[in-house]
Amino acid sequence: MDYAAYYRKAEADGYQAYYDAIAAAQGTDPQATARTRDANGTIPEEARGLLYNVSAEIKNTFHEFGAPLPPLLEGCTVLDLGCGSGRDTYLAAQLVGPKGKVIGVEPNEERLAIARKYLAQEIKQFGYDECNVELHQGVPENLSFIFDGTIDVVISNCTFNLSPDKERYIAEVKRVLKDGGEWYFTDVYTDRRIPQATSDKVENVAMRLGGAMFIEDFRRMAQAAGFHDPRYLMTWKTPVSDEEQAAFPDIAFATITSRLINSELTSDHCEDYGEEITYNGELPDYPEFFLFDKDIKFPAGKACHVCDNVSVLAHATRYAKVISVKGNHDVHYGDIHGDHIIKCAPDFDGVVDEDDQPIQASCC
């Protein structure tokens, strides 16, 4: 199947027009189509207090609740895709500090105008001598104004599902990220592909539902782009009204916070090199553990056996500041879970056919 074509709603010359149509279909209530929640602490504790520094109009016109902001952003260059009126952009601007930088990109001129309106006021409120925020009207599928490999962290808050060309969106994120950079974002996914006729309706995409990807298609597309091992940190059922669900019969929706590491040290399968990593407990808000994904939590001060896709945290990312690794890639131990196809294979001499004769091997 051509997954890229299935999720492409517009070509390059029509991206802006598509986003304009989505914005027009969403109406005036910014929370009417909100799909993220502050479930399981999606607004980090260190960011909660910083909300008070963000202007009320920005918060009241923002289209989401939770905030996908990973830890350890100080000094980073962060790209916020689909930044809207700028709430997450200005939260990130405080987390990266005066030596960091945040770039907000928003297709809708009216929403971006609100973020721009308060730019000088926000920087003054933060106590910065120089502005560390850039705001651009543009589309995530065309980030040509950003050089290759210059971004530490890409974030977005339930806007990837709106993309009219998800293959292009992913490719642009991959292009602008530094080696060891992180794509950390929250969005809505499904347990199956939405029928094409349903997903092609702008009003359904405007709900933040019609453009949701089948989760396995997202994995395939991300891996094809070079994000070899997508990880899911937090998952919860997407709030959907009865009327909305009726438009998508039998389809289940989940809101997921994802972490994708941009590194050639990762692969599409977890392999074992006997490595162990230890978290030192120094991340703000996480003195007792570091949450890597929904299945892996590292207790502070305890060495944990990991696969090569996890040890990359200490080998190639900013998390090396708080995570140490023991071991290297000198010896390969195979599948991290043990390859049962190999280990459970019977002895060849003991395999016989229906006439109790040894099976004759063949290459075809």
PDB file of all heavy atoms in Angstrom, residues 229 231-233 259 270 277 289-299 304-307 309-311 313 323 336-337:
ATOM      1  N   ASP A 229      13.067   3.844  15.686  1.00  0.00           N
ATOM      2  CA  ASP A 229      12.438   3.198  16.836  1.00  0.00           C
ATOM      3  C   ASP A 229      11.515   4.164  17.581  1.00  0.00           C
ATOM      4  O   ASP A 229      11.860   4.664  18.650  1.00  0.00           O
ATOM      5  CB  ASP A 229      13.524   2.669  17.785  1.00  0.00           C
ATOM      6  CG  ASP A 229      12.945   1.818  18.903  1.00  0.00           C
ATOM      7  OD1 ASP A 229      11.810   1.335  18.772  1.00  0.00           O
ATOM      8  OD2 ASP A 229      13.628   1.650  19.930  1.00  0.00           O
ATOM      9  N   ARG A 231       8.933   5.660  20.092  1.00  0.00           N
ATOM     10  CA  ARG A 231       8.551   5.258  21.445  1.00  0.00           C
ATOM     11  C   ARG A 231       7.342   6.065  21.898  1.00  0.00           C
ATOM     12  O   ARG A 231       7.223   7.256  21.589  1.00  0.00           O
ATOM     13  CB  ARG A 231       9.714   5.487  22.420  1.00  0.00           C
ATOM     14  CG  ARG A 231      10.946   4.644  22.112  1.00  0.00           C
ATOM     15  CD  ARG A 231      10.760   3.209  22.531  1.00  0.00           C
ATOM     16  NE  ARG A 231      11.909   2.383  22.175  1.00  0.00           N
ATOM     17  CZ  ARG A 231      12.339   1.365  22.938  1.00  0.00           C
ATOM     18  NH1 ARG A 231      11.740   1.071  24.073  1.00  0.00           N
ATOM     19  NH2 ARG A 231      13.392   0.654  22.543  1.00  0.00           N
ATOM     20  N   TYR A 232       6.456   5.408  22.644  1.00  0.00           N
ATOM     21  CA  TYR A 232       5.231   6.043  23.111  1.00  0.00           C
ATOM     22  C   TYR A 232       5.270   6.133  24.628  1.00  0.00           C
ATOM     23  O   TYR A 232       5.380   5.125  25.313  1.00  0.00           O
ATOM     24  CB  TYR A 232       4.019   5.253  22.629  1.00  0.00           C
ATOM     25  CG  TYR A 232       4.082   4.950  21.141  1.00  0.00           C
ATOM     26  CD1 TYR A 232       4.122   3.643  20.659  1.00  0.00           C
ATOM     27  CD2 TYR A 232       4.141   5.997  20.223  1.00  0.00           C
ATOM     28  CE1 TYR A 232       4.204   3.390  19.294  1.00  0.00           C
ATOM     29  CE2 TYR A 232       4.231   5.744  18.853  1.00  0.00           C
ATOM     30  CZ  TYR A 232       4.262   4.435  18.399  1.00  0.00           C
ATOM     31  OH  TYR A 232       4.357   4.183  17.048  1.00  0.00           O
ATOM     32  N   LEU A 233       5.195   7.378  25.141  1.00  0.00           N
ATOM     33  CA  LEU A 233       5.353   7.603  26.574  1.00  0.00           C
ATOM     34  C   LEU A 233       4.048   7.483  27.331  1.00  0.00           C
ATOM     35  O   LEU A 233       3.968   6.811  28.354  1.00  0.00           O
ATOM     36  CB  LEU A 233       5.945   9.001  26.840  1.00  0.00           C
ATOM     37  CG  LEU A 233       7.447   9.138  26.662  1.00  0.00           C
ATOM     38  CD1 LEU A 233       7.811   9.303  25.216  1.00  0.00           C
ATOM     39  CD2 LEU A 233       7.960  10.296  27.482  1.00  0.00           C
ATOM     40  N   ARG A 259       8.057   9.899  21.562  1.00  0.00           N
ATOM     41  CA  ARG A 259       9.459  10.329  21.571  1.00  0.00           C
ATOM     42  C   ARG A 259      10.177   9.614  20.430  1.00  0.00           C
ATOM     43  O   ARG A 259      10.218   8.371  20.385  1.00  0.00           O
ATOM     44  CB  ARG A 259      10.128   9.994  22.901  1.00  0.00           C
ATOM     45  CG  ARG A 259      11.650  10.069  22.860  1.00  0.00           C
ATOM     46  CD  ARG A 259      12.283   9.708  24.184  1.00  0.00           C
ATOM     47  NE  ARG A 259      12.225  10.831  25.117  1.00  0.00           N
ATOM     48  CZ  ARG A 259      11.793  10.759  26.367  1.00  0.00           C
ATOM     49  NH1 ARG A 259      11.359   9.600  26.835  1.00  0.00           N
ATOM     50  NH2 ARG A 259      11.804  11.818  27.145  1.00  0.00           N
ATOM     51  N   CYS A 270      15.256  -3.997  18.674  1.00  0.00           N
ATOM     52  CA  CYS A 270      16.076  -3.841  19.879  1.00  0.00           C
ATOM     53  C   CYS A 270      17.115  -4.948  19.954  1.00  0.00           C
ATOM     54  O   CYS A 270      16.758  -6.123  20.081  1.00  0.00           O
ATOM     55  CB  CYS A 270      15.190  -3.872  21.124  1.00  0.00           C
ATOM     56  SG  CYS A 270      14.073  -2.473  21.237  1.00  0.00           S
ATOM     57  N   ILE A 277      22.463   1.266  31.611  1.00  0.00           N
ATOM     58  CA  ILE A 277      22.479   2.690  31.852  1.00  0.00           C
ATOM     59  C   ILE A 277      21.972   2.974  33.259  1.00  0.00           C
ATOM     60  O   ILE A 277      21.176   2.215  33.821  1.00  0.00           O
ATOM     61  CB  ILE A 277      21.658   3.490  30.818  1.00  0.00           C
ATOM     62  CG1 ILE A 277      20.160   3.221  30.950  1.00  0.00           C
ATOM     63  CG2 ILE A 277      22.125   3.218  29.418  1.00  0.00           C
ATOM     64  CD1 ILE A 277      19.342   4.166  30.079  1.00  0.00           C
ATOM     65  N   PHE A 289      12.817   8.793  39.202  1.00  0.00           N
ATOM     66  CA  PHE A 289      12.857   7.953  38.003  1.00  0.00           C
ATOM     67  C   PHE A 289      12.907   8.815  36.757  1.00  0.00           C
ATOM     68  O   PHE A 289      12.580  10.006  36.786  1.00  0.00           O
ATOM     69  CB  PHE A 289      11.634   7.041  37.934  1.00  0.00           C
ATOM     70  CG  PHE A 289      10.331   7.789  37.755  1.00  0.00           C
ATOM     71  CD1 PHE A 289       9.856   8.102  36.489  1.00  0.00           C
ATOM     72  CD2 PHE A 289       9.595   8.197  38.863  1.00  0.00           C
ATOM     73  CE1 PHE A 289       8.672   8.798  36.320  1.00  0.00           C
ATOM     74  CE2 PHE A 289       8.398   8.890  38.697  1.00  0.00           C
ATOM     75  CZ  PHE A 289       7.938   9.188  37.421  1.00  0.00           C
ATOM     76  N   PHE A 290      13.322   8.187  35.646  1.00  0.00           N
ATOM     77  CA  PHE A 290      13.264   8.806  34.328  1.00  0.00           C
ATOM     78  C   PHE A 290      12.364   7.937  33.459  1.00  0.00           C
ATOM     79  O   PHE A 290      12.617   6.737  33.295  1.00  0.00           O
ATOM     80  CB  PHE A 290      14.649   8.909  33.700  1.00  0.00           C
ATOM     81  CG  PHE A 290      14.633   9.333  32.247  1.00  0.00           C
ATOM     82  CD1 PHE A 290      14.226  10.602  31.907  1.00  0.00           C
ATOM     83  CD2 PHE A 290      15.035   8.465  31.246  1.00  0.00           C
ATOM     84  CE1 PHE A 290      14.209  11.008  30.574  1.00  0.00           C
ATOM     85  CE2 PHE A 290      15.018   8.849  29.912  1.00  0.00           C
ATOM     86  CZ  PHE A 290      14.606  10.138  29.578  1.00  0.00           C
ATOM     87  N   LEU A 291      11.294   8.533  32.921  1.00  0.00           N
ATOM     88  CA  LEU A 291      10.356   7.803  32.076  1.00  0.00           C
ATOM     89  C   LEU A 291      10.821   7.874  30.627  1.00  0.00           C
ATOM     90  O   LEU A 291      10.780   8.936  30.004  1.00  0.00           O
ATOM     91  CB  LEU A 291       8.953   8.406  32.211  1.00  0.00           C
ATOM     92  CG  LEU A 291       7.850   7.724  31.400  1.00  0.00           C
ATOM     93  CD1 LEU A 291       7.570   6.319  31.943  1.00  0.00           C
ATOM     94  CD2 LEU A 291       6.571   8.561  31.417  1.00  0.00           C
ATOM     95  N   PHE A 292      11.279   6.742  30.106  1.00  0.00           N
ATOM     96  CA  PHE A 292      11.719   6.710  28.709  1.00  0.00           C
ATOM     97  C   PHE A 292      10.542   6.485  27.777  1.00  0.00           C
ATOM     98  O   PHE A 292      10.372   7.167  26.776  1.00  0.00           O
ATOM     99  CB  PHE A 292      12.766   5.625  28.507  1.00  0.00           C
ATOM    100  CG  PHE A 292      13.221   5.495  27.082  1.00  0.00           C
ATOM    101  CD1 PHE A 292      13.887   6.536  26.454  1.00  0.00           C
ATOM    102  CD2 PHE A 292      12.986   4.333  26.359  1.00  0.00           C
ATOM    103  CE1 PHE A 292      14.301   6.437  25.135  1.00  0.00           C
ATOM    104  CE2 PHE A 292      13.400   4.213  25.038  1.00  0.00           C
ATOM    105  CZ  PHE A 292      14.053   5.263  24.425  1.00  0.00           C
ATOM    106  N   ASP A 293       9.716   5.487  28.097  1.00  0.00           N
ATOM    107  CA  ASP A 293       8.477   5.273  27.358  1.00  0.00           C
ATOM    108  C   ASP A 293       7.469   4.611  28.296  1.00  0.00           C
ATOM    109  O   ASP A 293       7.731   4.463  29.492  1.00  0.00           O
ATOM    110  CB  ASP A 293       8.704   4.462  26.076  1.00  0.00           C
ATOM    111  CG  ASP A 293       9.193   3.043  26.336  1.00  0.00           C
ATOM    112  OD1 ASP A 293       8.965   2.502  27.430  1.00  0.00           O
ATOM    113  OD2 ASP A 293       9.810   2.455  25.416  1.00  0.00           O
ATOM    114  N   LYS A 294       6.319   4.228  27.781  1.00  0.00           N
ATOM    115  CA  LYS A 294       5.257   3.711  28.643  1.00  0.00           C
ATOM    116  C   LYS A 294       5.631   2.400  29.323  1.00  0.00           C
ATOM    117  O   LYS A 294       5.005   2.013  30.315  1.00  0.00           O
ATOM    118  CB  LYS A 294       3.972   3.527  27.843  1.00  0.00           C
ATOM    119  CG  LYS A 294       4.055   2.486  26.732  1.00  0.00           C
ATOM    120  CD  LYS A 294       2.759   2.421  25.946  1.00  0.00           C
ATOM    121  CE  LYS A 294       2.831   1.397  24.821  1.00  0.00           C
ATOM    122  NZ  LYS A 294       3.064   0.026  25.277  1.00  0.00           N
ATOM    123  N   ASP A 295       6.652   1.721  28.817  1.00  0.00           N
ATOM    124  CA  ASP A 295       7.055   0.426  29.376  1.00  0.00           C
ATOM    125  C   ASP A 295       8.371   0.476  30.147  1.00  0.00           C
ATOM    126  O   ASP A 295       8.712  -0.478  30.840  1.00  0.00           O
ATOM    127  CB  ASP A 295       7.184  -0.618  28.257  1.00  0.00           C
ATOM    128  CG  ASP A 295       5.871  -0.840  27.521  1.00  0.00           C
ATOM    129  OD1 ASP A 295       4.839  -0.978  28.198  1.00  0.00           O
ATOM    130  OD2 ASP A 295       5.885  -0.862  26.275  1.00  0.00           O
ATOM    131  N   ILE A 296       9.119   1.561  30.004  1.00  0.00           N
ATOM    132  CA  ILE A 296      10.455   1.620  30.603  1.00  0.00           C
ATOM    133  C   ILE A 296      10.583   2.847  31.496  1.00  0.00           C
ATOM    134  O   ILE A 296      10.441   3.983  31.041  1.00  0.00           O
ATOM    135  CB  ILE A 296      11.551   1.664  29.515  1.00  0.00           C
ATOM    136  CG1 ILE A 296      11.487   0.416  28.637  1.00  0.00           C
ATOM    137  CG2 ILE A 296      12.925   1.790  30.148  1.00  0.00           C
ATOM    138  CD1 ILE A 296      12.481   0.411  27.490  1.00  0.00           C
ATOM    139  N   LYS A 297      10.851   2.582  32.766  1.00  0.00           N
ATOM    140  CA  LYS A 297      11.064   3.640  33.747  1.00  0.00           C
ATOM    141  C   LYS A 297      12.360   3.312  34.491  1.00  0.00           C
ATOM    142  O   LYS A 297      12.487   2.234  35.073  1.00  0.00           O
ATOM    143  CB  LYS A 297       9.885   3.714  34.729  1.00  0.00           C
ATOM    144  CG  LYS A 297      10.018   4.793  35.778  1.00  0.00           C
ATOM    145  CD  LYS A 297       8.909   4.671  36.832  1.00  0.00           C
ATOM    146  CE  LYS A 297       7.564   5.035  36.272  1.00  0.00           C
ATOM    147  NZ  LYS A 297       6.511   5.063  37.329  1.00  0.00           N
ATOM    148  N   PHE A 298      13.318   4.242  34.472  1.00  0.00           N
ATOM    149  CA  PHE A 298      14.608   3.994  35.095  1.00  0.00           C
ATOM    150  C   PHE A 298      14.645   4.586  36.498  1.00  0.00           C
ATOM    151  O   PHE A 298      14.614   5.811  36.657  1.00  0.00           O
ATOM    152  CB  PHE A 298      15.737   4.595  34.258  1.00  0.00           C
ATOM    153  CG  PHE A 298      15.877   3.976  32.900  1.00  0.00           C
ATOM    154  CD1 PHE A 298      15.617   4.698  31.753  1.00  0.00           C
ATOM    155  CD2 PHE A 298      16.245   2.645  32.773  1.00  0.00           C
ATOM    156  CE1 PHE A 298      15.733   4.129  30.503  1.00  0.00           C
ATOM    157  CE2 PHE A 298      16.371   2.054  31.531  1.00  0.00           C
ATOM    158  CZ  PHE A 298      16.109   2.797  30.391  1.00  0.00           C
ATOM    159  N   PRO A 299      14.739   3.742  37.540  1.00  0.00           N
ATOM    160  CA  PRO A 299      14.874   4.267  38.904  1.00  0.00           C
ATOM    161  C   PRO A 299      16.215   4.973  39.068  1.00  0.00           C
ATOM    162  O   PRO A 299      17.234   4.542  38.522  1.00  0.00           O
ATOM    163  CB  PRO A 299      14.811   3.005  39.774  1.00  0.00           C
ATOM    164  CG  PRO A 299      14.283   1.928  38.891  1.00  0.00           C
ATOM    165  CD  PRO A 299      14.700   2.285  37.502  1.00  0.00           C
ATOM    166  N   CYS A 304      20.457  -0.455  34.806  1.00  0.00           N
ATOM    167  CA  CYS A 304      19.431  -1.239  34.113  1.00  0.00           C
ATOM    168  C   CYS A 304      19.958  -1.726  32.771  1.00  0.00           C
ATOM    169  O   CYS A 304      20.530  -0.948  31.995  1.00  0.00           O
ATOM    170  CB  CYS A 304      18.178  -0.396  33.897  1.00  0.00           C
ATOM    171  SG  CYS A 304      17.419   0.238  35.404  1.00  0.00           S
ATOM    172  N   HIS A 305      19.767  -3.008  32.516  1.00  0.00           N
ATOM    173  CA  HIS A 305      20.162  -3.609  31.245  1.00  0.00           C
ATOM    174  C   HIS A 305      19.257  -3.061  30.149  1.00  0.00           C
ATOM    175  O   HIS A 305      18.029  -3.086  30.264  1.00  0.00           O
ATOM    176  CB  HIS A 305      20.021  -5.128  31.348  1.00  0.00           C
ATOM    177  CG  HIS A 305      20.393  -5.852  30.100  1.00  0.00           C
ATOM    178  ND1 HIS A 305      19.859  -7.087  29.770  1.00  0.00           N
ATOM    179  CD2 HIS A 305      21.246  -5.542  29.091  1.00  0.00           C
ATOM    180  CE1 HIS A 305      20.364  -7.491  28.622  1.00  0.00           C
ATOM    181  NE2 HIS A 305      21.210  -6.573  28.193  1.00  0.00           N
ATOM    182  N   VAL A 306      19.847  -2.568  29.052  1.00  0.00           N
ATOM    183  CA  VAL A 306      19.057  -1.938  27.992  1.00  0.00           C
ATOM    184  C   VAL A 306      19.523  -2.410  26.621  1.00  0.00           C
ATOM    185  O   VAL A 306      20.614  -2.953  26.465  1.00  0.00           O
ATOM    186  CB  VAL A 306      19.171  -0.397  28.053  1.00  0.00           C
ATOM    187  CG1 VAL A 306      18.587   0.144  29.348  1.00  0.00           C
ATOM    188  CG2 VAL A 306      20.614   0.062  27.869  1.00  0.00           C
ATOM    189  N   CYS A 307      18.671  -2.160  25.638  1.00  0.00           N
ATOM    190  CA  CYS A 307      19.041  -2.445  24.251  1.00  0.00           C
ATOM    191  C   CYS A 307      19.779  -1.248  23.658  1.00  0.00           C
ATOM    192  O   CYS A 307      19.878  -0.177  24.266  1.00  0.00           O
ATOM    193  CB  CYS A 307      17.796  -2.775  23.432  1.00  0.00           C
ATOM    194  SG  CYS A 307      16.739  -1.346  23.087  1.00  0.00           S
ATOM    195  N   ASN A 309      18.916   0.681  21.273  1.00  0.00           N
ATOM    196  CA  ASN A 309      18.064   1.830  20.978  1.00  0.00           C
ATOM    197  C   ASN A 309      17.801   2.698  22.198  1.00  0.00           C
ATOM    198  O   ASN A 309      17.394   3.854  22.059  1.00  0.00           O
ATOM    199  CB  ASN A 309      16.726   1.361  20.400  1.00  0.00           C
ATOM    200  CG  ASN A 309      16.860   0.875  18.975  1.00  0.00           C
ATOM    201  OD1 ASN A 309      17.865   1.132  18.312  1.00  0.00           O
ATOM    202  ND2 ASN A 309      15.856   0.166  18.488  1.00  0.00           N
ATOM    203  N   VAL A 310      18.017   2.151  23.380  1.00  0.00           N
ATOM    204  CA  VAL A 310      17.849   2.935  24.605  1.00  0.00           C
ATOM    205  C   VAL A 310      19.182   3.504  25.062  1.00  0.00           C
ATOM    206  O   VAL A 310      19.258   4.641  25.538  1.00  0.00           O
ATOM    207  CB  VAL A 310      17.208   2.082  25.717  1.00  0.00           C
ATOM    208  CG1 VAL A 310      17.060   2.885  27.002  1.00  0.00           C
ATOM    209  CG2 VAL A 310      15.841   1.558  25.273  1.00  0.00           C
ATOM    210  N   SER A 311      20.241   2.745  24.907  1.00  0.00           N
ATOM    211  CA  SER A 311      21.557   3.248  25.324  1.00  0.00           C
ATOM    212  C   SER A 311      21.977   4.466  24.522  1.00  0.00           C
ATOM    213  O   SER A 311      22.857   5.224  24.935  1.00  0.00           O
ATOM    214  CB  SER A 311      22.623   2.153  25.199  1.00  0.00           C
ATOM    215  OG  SER A 311      22.883   1.848  23.832  1.00  0.00           O
ATOM    216  N   LEU A 313      20.502   7.084  24.380  1.00  0.00           N
ATOM    217  CA  LEU A 313      20.254   8.241  25.239  1.00  0.00           C
ATOM    218  C   LEU A 313      21.553   8.767  25.832  1.00  0.00           C
ATOM    219  O   LEU A 313      21.749   9.976  25.958  1.00  0.00           O
ATOM    220  CB  LEU A 313      19.292   7.862  26.367  1.00  0.00           C
ATOM    221  CG  LEU A 313      17.813   7.677  26.010  1.00  0.00           C
ATOM    222  CD1 LEU A 313      17.066   7.082  27.183  1.00  0.00           C
ATOM    223  CD2 LEU A 313      17.197   9.000  25.584  1.00  0.00           C
ATOM    224  N   ILE A 323      22.370  10.679  32.346  1.00  0.00           N
ATOM    225  CA  ILE A 323      22.376   9.219  32.182  1.00  0.00           C
ATOM    226  C   ILE A 323      23.775   8.770  31.782  1.00  0.00           C
ATOM    227  O   ILE A 323      24.392   9.333  30.874  1.00  0.00           O
ATOM    228  CB  ILE A 323      21.361   8.772  31.117  1.00  0.00           C
ATOM    229  CG1 ILE A 323      19.932   8.959  31.629  1.00  0.00           C
ATOM    230  CG2 ILE A 323      21.576   7.314  30.723  1.00  0.00           C
ATOM    231  CD1 ILE A 323      18.870   8.637  30.614  1.00  0.00           C
ATOM    232  N   ILE A 336      17.434  -8.505  22.137  1.00  0.00           N
ATOM    233  CA  ILE A 336      17.420  -8.181  23.563  1.00  0.00           C
ATOM    234  C   ILE A 336      16.508  -9.117  24.347  1.00  0.00           C
ATOM    235  O   ILE A 336      16.723  -9.380  25.530  1.00  0.00           O
ATOM    236  CB  ILE A 336      16.991  -6.711  23.787  1.00  0.00           C
ATOM    237  CG1 ILE A 336      17.181  -6.280  25.250  1.00  0.00           C
ATOM    238  CG2 ILE A 336      15.552  -6.489  23.375  1.00  0.00           C
ATOM    239  CD1 ILE A 336      18.596  -6.077  25.642  1.00  0.00           C
ATOM    240  N   HIS A 337      15.469  -9.645  23.698  1.00  0.00           N
ATOM    241  CA  HIS A 337      14.532 -10.547  24.369  1.00  0.00           C
ATOM    242  C   HIS A 337      14.837 -12.024  24.094  1.00  0.00           C
ATOM    243  O   HIS A 337      14.143 -12.902  24.621  1.00  0.00           O
ATOM    244  CB  HIS A 337      13.095 -10.233  23.940  1.00  0.00           C
ATOM    245  CG  HIS A 337      12.696  -8.816  24.215  1.00  0.00           C
ATOM    246  ND1 HIS A 337      12.591  -8.316  25.488  1.00  0.00           N
ATOM    247  CD2 HIS A 337      12.395  -7.799  23.379  1.00  0.00           C
ATOM    248  CE1 HIS A 337      12.229  -7.034  25.432  1.00  0.00           C
ATOM    249  NE2 HIS A 337      12.107  -6.701  24.170  1.00  0.00           N
TER     250      HIS A 337
END
